[in-house]
Amino acid sequence: MEYLEFELPIKELEDQLQKCEIIGKESEVDVTETCKQIEKKLIATKKEIYKNLTPWQRVQMSRHPSRPYTLDYIKALCGDSFLELHGDRSFKDDKAMIGGLGKIGDQSFMFIGQQKGYNTKTRQFRNFGMANPEGYRKALRLMKSAEKFGIPVVTLLDTPGAYPGLEAEERGQGEAIARNILEMTRLKVPIITIVIGEGASGGALGIGVGDKVLMLENTWYSVISPESCSSILWRSWEYKEQAADALKLTAKDMKKQGIVDEIIKEPIGGAHSDREKTYLAVKSAILKTFDELKNLSPKDLVNKRQEKYLEIGVFKG
């Protein structure tokens, strides 16, 4: 288990509890009461820390190396029914963007999302979750297939941004993202979008237009990362905490601004602390949202989706 800086008091108490349990097993000393007191203190400390997370701490939580990624969610939701589809039929298969068909119960969905790696080798293989233009074109191809067969789309957002390399720009990164945004606004099947980690800039928006947009509690969604914002405004990364605060990028802020529709609660300690509970919460949110959307006609779906995005940023005096 890896701990973030603000989680160190929890680590200390967990270490104490472990030592206490070892003493109880290896000697005849009764440590039951001591263990109970440490457990009580541990629960209280966890509640106190996770209840008062700053925006920057939530950004750190969203990047936790143990946090579940897109494929983890898909495998937990669909089991063996997931069939991954590859390639944009134009250039190549982008490993940072994954997609395919899967079933939750008897209902088929087209799942699309960015995939990060969990060690150095897989991070390079997945390009750190940063998709190239062919990734967005693959996503659009899959969405169009879903539309053709009347299958609802679920997109899972977790990216530090679209890949900013020269070759990506040469192959039309901006156009690919813009095309996806346009096509998603008029797709004739339900689209459910969930931010499961980092929702950064156009990289997230390229698959982020949905009838309902949901965010897990310890995720962020913003036009720029706090570090990049800090380096632009203060010419240094040192002010990333102030930048995170000013950007209003947390799930709570996004809900308040009307950019997302719902927040999915995470277990105390974050999604990685109890994966099964997180998967169940996400599954329940997908099915509940699909129930709300499945009876709408394609025309109503498109009209409501376009109205939803036209209203964002409109402030009535």
Side-chain angles (χ1 to χ4, degrees), residues 9-10 13 40-50:
I10 295 167
L13 287 166
K40 205 173 174 183
K41 197 177 177 186
L42 179 62
I43 291 163
T45 307
K46 278 185 176 180
K47 279 182 182 172
E48 187 62 30
I49 286 173
Y50 295 118

Side-chain angles (χ1 to χ4, degrees), residues 136-207:
Y136 293 100
R137 290 178 181 131
K138 169 164 82 170
L140 182 58
R141 178 174 82 79
L142 299 187
M143 286 183 225
K144 285 290 185 186
S145 294
E147 182 182 52
K148 184 178 178 181
F149 297 106
I151 297 166
V153 174
V154 174
T155 64
L156 303 169
L157 276 51
D158 187 14
T159 179
Y163 183 59
L166 177 65
E167 62 272 34
E169 299 301 336
E170 286 173 344
R171 291 198 298 275
Q173 184 72 287
E175 188 277 338
I177 291 170
R179 170 74 53 194
N180 276 24
I181 293 169
L182 171 67
E183 294 295 345
M184 286 182 89
T185 59
R186 55 194 190 194
L187 205 72
K188 293 182 177 68
V189 288
I191 308 171
I192 302 164
T193 296
I194 307 173
V195 184
I196 59 166
E198 300 185 88
S201 195
L205 279 182
I207 57 165

Side-chain angles (χ1 to χ4, degrees), residues 74-89:
I74 291 171
K75 280 171 187 166
L77 297 172
C78 305
D80 297 333
S81 72
F82 180 62
L83 172 69
E84 190 176 349
L85 301 167
H86 300 272
D88 69 338
R89 290 190 179 165

Side-chain angles (χ1 to χ4, degrees), residues 8-22:
L8 292 178
I10 295 167
K11 184 185 186 302
E12 282 174 29
L13 287 166
E14 283 180 347
D15 289 345
Q16 281 177 29
L17 185 61
Q18 203 175 0
K19 282 173 190 169
C20 187
E21 286 168 350
I22 289 166

Side-chain angles (χ1 to χ4, degrees), residues 212-241:
K212 293 279 182 187
V213 181
L214 291 72
M215 273 179 92
L216 280 160
E217 195 178 0
N218 296 310
T219 61
W220 63 277
Y221 200 17
S222 175
V223 70
I224 194 169
S225 72
E227 294 94 329
S228 301
C229 176
S230 173
S231 63
I232 290 168
L233 294 180
W234 290 283
R235 300 283 184 269
S236 162
W237 277 27
E238 283 177 28
Y239 300 92
K240 53 189 179 287
E241 292 182 39

Side-chain angles (χ1 to χ4, degrees), residues 286-317:
I286 290 171
L287 294 175
K288 176 176 164 275
T289 309
F290 178 62
D291 270 349
E292 292 168 15
L293 299 170
K294 67 181 180 184
N295 295 323
L296 291 173
S297 68
K299 190 179 177 183
D300 285 344
L301 263 178
V302 172
N303 286 344
K304 277 178 179 283
R305 194 183 306 142
Q306 291 183 353
E307 279 168 24
K308 169 187 162 71
Y309 281 91
L310 286 170
E311 278 173 19
I312 289 175
V314 175
F315 290 88
K316 296 174 178 75

